Amino acid sequence: MSAHVRRAAVLGSPIAHSLSPVLHRAAYRELSLDDWSYDRFEIDEAGLPAFIGQLGPEWAGLSLTMPLKRAVIPLLDSVSDTAASVEAVNTVVRTDDGRLTGDNTDIPGMVAALRERGIEQVESAAILGAGATASSALAALARICTGEVAAYVRSEARATEMRQWGERLDVEVRTADWADAERALHAPLVIATTPAGTTDALSHAVPERPTTLFDVLYDPWPTALAARWSAYGGAVVSGLDLLVHQAVLQVEQMTGRTPGPLDVMRKAGERALAGR
């Protein structure tokens, strides 16, 4: 491989269906970065240290998905305040002096996706779910929500976790049982962070005048909840919006080129999903 080639990749397990290569390669083409490559590697937590350890000067950065976002932290030279706030790194950049720095672009990506739809600030919000994405959603809400966040969860253990994240992120969190999740749909902003199919049973409860739904899923799309929400005239932000916005920030950090080509990357993602 030429010494001039710059490399980047997405790591995770499973990784075969990741859209990251499609998005980043589209950005490289648009930015005329002909000597850049972006690959995907099936890597689990056990294999991560060896992979990180062999990164040479040709490497510009890495995108990380589950289950590596927390496992990578001890392997890095520094971590941004944003990533530290949720103990999750999805972006690694190799500096010119060989240092590995970690960041989290999911959080500002969520904020940017909402801002694109005109959501700059909300008085309150609701989160459906309590996993890793829910903590990132809380961190995003810390930047735009002035009041209470209601988190609808399935267990007291999850409820405790969400309240602890709220304290850490300085967000007022009220937890509620998943059995009452229909109430969440009346919030000014609803963020669904659950796996595919989980919110389907809530679609019948969408109010006549829904506000804004941010559903982090993108395949299959639309979800039953997002379809009903949109049919009733509500604003819907999709997981593809999130994926593209966080990927734009990754491209900017890894290449040093700004602004990243948002529209080109989104269209590439839409074409890839349509072909599945």
Side-chain angles (χ1 to χ4, degrees):
M1 180 174 290
S2 168
H4 298 293
V5 171
R6 300 306 309 278
R7 299 189 68 185
V10 59
L11 315 181
S13 182
I15 202 65
H17 287 83
S18 172
L19 277 182
S20 292
V22 170
L23 303 181
H24 285 253
R25 291 168 185 169
Y28 297 166
R29 287 192 296 270
E30 181 67 14
L31 296 171
S32 298
L33 297 175
D34 300 329
D35 53 351
W36 283 67
S37 68
Y38 191 99
D39 303 297
R40 63 163 67 91
F41 293 94
E42 180 83 17
I43 303 288
D44 60 13
E45 292 167 285
L48 185 61
F51 190 96
I52 294 291
Q54 58 83 42
L55 295 178
E58 74 276 12
W59 282 92
L62 301 170
S63 308
L64 300 173
T65 185
M66 299 304 290
L68 306 178
K69 293 183 179 183
R70 181 170 294 181
V72 75
I73 293 176
L75 307 175
L76 303 176
D77 296 300
S78 63
V79 173
S80 71
D81 290 342
T82 299
S85 73
V86 291
E87 297 179 1
V89 165
N90 78 328
T91 306
V92 174
V93 174
R94 191 179 190 280
T95 62
D96 291 340
D97 60 3
R99 298 176 71 253
L100 297 178
T101 64
D103 194 14
N104 186 308
T105 63
D106 286 331
I107 295 166
M110 283 187 176
V111 174
L114 287 165
R115 183 179 296 123
E116 187 179 32
R117 302 302 175 89
I119 308 298
E120 300 275 354
Q121 189 176 86
V122 291
E123 295 181 356
S124 62
I127 295 178
L128 298 172
T133 306
S135 61
S136 292
L138 264 184
L141 289 171
R143 303 184 180 192
I144 66 168
C145 183
T146 59
E148 179 185 82
V149 176
Y152 291 80
V153 300
R154 292 188 181 276
S155 70
E156 182 53 38
R158 289 292 198 180
T160 299
E161 287 179 9
M162 288 299 284
R163 289 193 294 268
Q164 290 173 341
W165 279 117
E167 292 175 6
R168 180 169 180 167
L169 296 164
D170 197 24
V171 178
E172 181 185 353
V173 175
R174 174 179 61 85
T175 55
D177 191 271
W178 184 264
D180 297 321
E182 292 180 5
R183 297 181 182 179
L185 308 186
H186 296 272
L189 170 62
V190 181
I191 304 182
T193 69
T194 53
T198 307
T199 61
D200 289 358
L202 300 177
S203 60
H204 76 279
V206 173
E208 290 185 5
R209 295 182 179 179
T211 50
T212 300
L213 171 69
F214 194 156
D215 195 324
V216 303
L217 297 174
Y218 62 84
D219 187 18
W221 185 262
T223 62
L225 181 61
R228 180 67 64 90
W229 199 278
S230 181
Y232 279 22
V236 175
V237 184
S238 75
L240 181 61
D241 294 320
L242 167 60
L243 189 67
V244 171
H245 275 282
Q246 66 82 25
V248 165
L249 295 170
Q250 290 185 334
V251 167
E252 291 175 351
Q253 289 191 27
M254 293 179 193
T255 69
R257 300 281 292 275
T258 58
L262 175 69
D263 291 340
V264 167
M265 294 169 71
R266 175 182 281 123
K267 288 175 182 175
E270 289 172 345
R271 286 194 299 270
L273 287 175
R276 287 186 176 179

